[in-house]
Amino acid sequence: MPLIDMRLDELKTYQGINPRPKDFDEYWSRALQEMNEVESNVELIKSSFQVAYAECFDMYFTGVRGARIHVKYVKPKLDTSKKQPAILHFHGYSMSAGDWQSKLAYAALGYHVFAMDVRGQGGLSEDVGGVVGNTLQGHFIRGLDDHEDNLLFRHIFLDTAQLAKLVIDMDEVDSRDVSVTGWSQGGGLTMACAALEPRIKKLAPVYPFLSDYQRVWEMDLAVGAYDELRKYFRKFDPQHKRQEETFAKLGYIDIQHLASRIQGEVMMGVGLMDTICPPSTQFAAYNKITSPKSLEVFPDFAHEDLPGLHDRIMEFMIADNY
């Protein structure tokens, strides 16, 4: 089989090379404290789109630094005498929560479904800005020239955890049965969410983005989703005098360093020909997970649809309920 990265046996032991900041745990403790002090001010607005077996709502809450975060919420109309499971969906880079239709299958099975618009990307969530330095392009480099507490993906990771906390605390939701899934950026956010909100029961990340930035750079694959890293160096550090500092700061928002916090059961999908999120960067995170985990490997596939995986994820998610 052709290779664009390591052999599978090597991938399964790879531990990543992007540095982990010495104060990483303190950094995220401080971030979670800030999140917990936010008044969420949740608002539910009934959507014009409705179906017979569920109610559809535009949900809004206030995240860190005052941004209003938008979520598509589908509430099942099944037996309301008992609490129901819930599933959170996170979307790909620059995209949005998508159409209501894609959330209905889980709602038909009795799941509360929540799909969040990432702040400042394709949906309705706000990006309130307010950082020193580059805002021309790119989200994972937003805040690199400012204090690490102002990294945009810090706030986005916290949005995922805050949403999970809000869902877990809902009266109609079974707090012991809240799961999360997403592809690419959504896969990275899936892992960040479950790391920062350890009550997540199951998670299914697919070729997760936002991992092992230095490995991407050394593979010369800072293109596509990671292209903003190359542009950052060209525009703001053309001689790479701050390269070490840059990767050290990106370590705060590197999901491989959060992965050991995950307590839920994990099923991860990966295509071994992925040049957008190279397999080694994905395994850097996967190999640090200590909770029960499994892999769905597609040797000939890249950053694309992985045949049958949506069905496999659903089977994984609902296995305890059907």
Side-chain angles (χ1 to χ4, degrees), residues 180-183 190 202-206 265 267-268 313 316-317:
V180 58
T181 187
W183 296 47
T190 290
K202 292 183 179 182
L203 55 151
V206 181
E265 183 181 358
M267 185 183 77
M268 191 173 94
I313 290 172
F316 169 69
M317 292 297 188

Side-chain angles (χ1 to χ4, degrees), residues 179-180 194 198 200-205 262-268 289 291-294 312 316-317 319-320:
S179 299
V180 58
I200 293 295
K201 181 182 180 181
K202 292 183 179 182
L203 55 151
I262 293 170
Q263 296 184 25
E265 183 181 358
V266 182
M267 185 183 77
M268 191 173 94
I289 297 169
S291 59
K293 60 184 180 179
S294 62
R312 181 69 192 93
F316 169 69
M317 292 297 188
D320 298 333

Side-chain angles (χ1 to χ4, degrees), residues 16-293:
I17 59 173
N18 201 95
R20 182 183 190 272
K22 292 180 180 179
D23 63 340
F24 183 84
D25 291 331
E26 293 83 356
Y27 176 85
W28 282 106
S29 293
R30 185 169 69 246
L32 287 168
Q33 181 178 349
E34 180 181 341
M35 182 197 81
N36 288 327
E37 292 173 354
V38 171
E39 290 289 339
S40 296
N41 296 319
V42 176
E43 182 181 12
L44 294 179
I45 302 171
K46 202 160 189 176
S47 171
S48 59
F49 180 92
Q50 297 294 329
V51 294
Y53 57 86
E55 294 180 281
C56 299
F57 296 92
D58 288 295
M59 173 181 174
Y60 291 88
F61 68 90
T62 300
V64 296
R65 311 297 169 94
R68 288 295 280 175
I69 307 302
H70 173 256
V71 181
K72 285 188 170 178
Y73 169 31
V74 183
K75 179 180 180 180
K77 289 182 179 177
L78 299 181
D79 182 6
T80 57
S81 65
K82 63 178 182 178
K83 294 177 181 290
Q84 305 290 350
I87 186 165
L88 282 57
H89 291 266
F90 297 116
H91 62 74
Y93 204 23
S94 81
M95 299 173 69
S96 71
D99 292 345
W100 291 102
Q101 180 272 337
S102 62
K103 288 76 177 156
L104 299 181
Y106 280 100
L109 294 171
Y111 278 71
H112 294 259
V113 183
F114 301 83
M116 187 186 85
D117 284 333
V118 172
R119 57 169 76 192
Q121 295 188 14
L124 300 178
S125 294
E126 296 177 348
D127 174 10
V128 293
V131 297
V132 174
N134 172 54
T135 60
L136 175 63
Q137 291 174 316
H139 275 196
F140 75 75
I141 63 168
R142 180 78 64 83
L144 270 178
D145 295 321
D146 207 332
H147 191 277
E148 57 266 21
D149 283 0
N150 294 327
L151 288 164
L152 180 61
F153 261 104
R154 170 193 184 269
H155 309 335
I156 294 170
F157 287 0
L158 292 174
D159 291 340
T160 71
Q162 187 175 351
L163 174 60
K165 184 177 184 296
L166 290 170
V167 171
I168 287 170
D169 289 344
M170 286 178 129
D171 291 339
E172 53 269 70
V173 169
D174 182 350
S175 62
R176 300 165 300 175
D177 199 351
V178 176
S179 299
V180 58
T181 187
W183 296 47
S184 194
Q185 174 185 253
L189 297 183
T190 290
M191 296 184 72
C193 177
L196 298 174
E197 177 42 86
R199 292 175 291 176
I200 293 295
K201 181 182 180 181
K202 292 183 179 182
L203 55 151
V206 181
Y207 40 62
F209 178 48
L210 306 166
S211 182
D212 207 5
Y213 302 97
Q214 190 166 330
R215 170 67 176 169
V216 175
W217 181 258
E218 293 190 2
M219 290 182 72
D220 196 25
L221 287 177
V223 294
Y226 287 101
D227 181 56
E228 62 202 63
L229 184 58
R230 185 184 303 276
K231 289 179 179 176
Y232 177 81
F233 281 126
R234 285 179 60 84
K235 292 178 181 295
F236 301 104
D237 187 16
Q239 292 185 287
H240 287 238
K241 292 181 178 180
R242 293 183 288 108
Q243 178 172 318
E244 184 176 344
E245 174 190 338
T246 296
F247 286 115
K249 189 173 284 189
L250 286 171
Y252 289 109
I253 54 167
D254 189 332
I255 60 166
Q256 66 167 316
H257 302 319
L258 284 167
S260 63
R261 296 177 174 224
I262 293 170
Q263 296 184 25
E265 183 181 358
V266 182
M267 185 183 77
M268 191 173 94
V270 55
L272 296 185
M273 303 304 292
D274 193 338
T275 58
I276 303 298
C277 296
S280 55
T281 68
Q282 300 175 47
F283 277 86
Y286 180 81
N287 292 336
K288 293 181 177 66
I289 297 169
T290 59
S291 59
K293 60 184 180 179

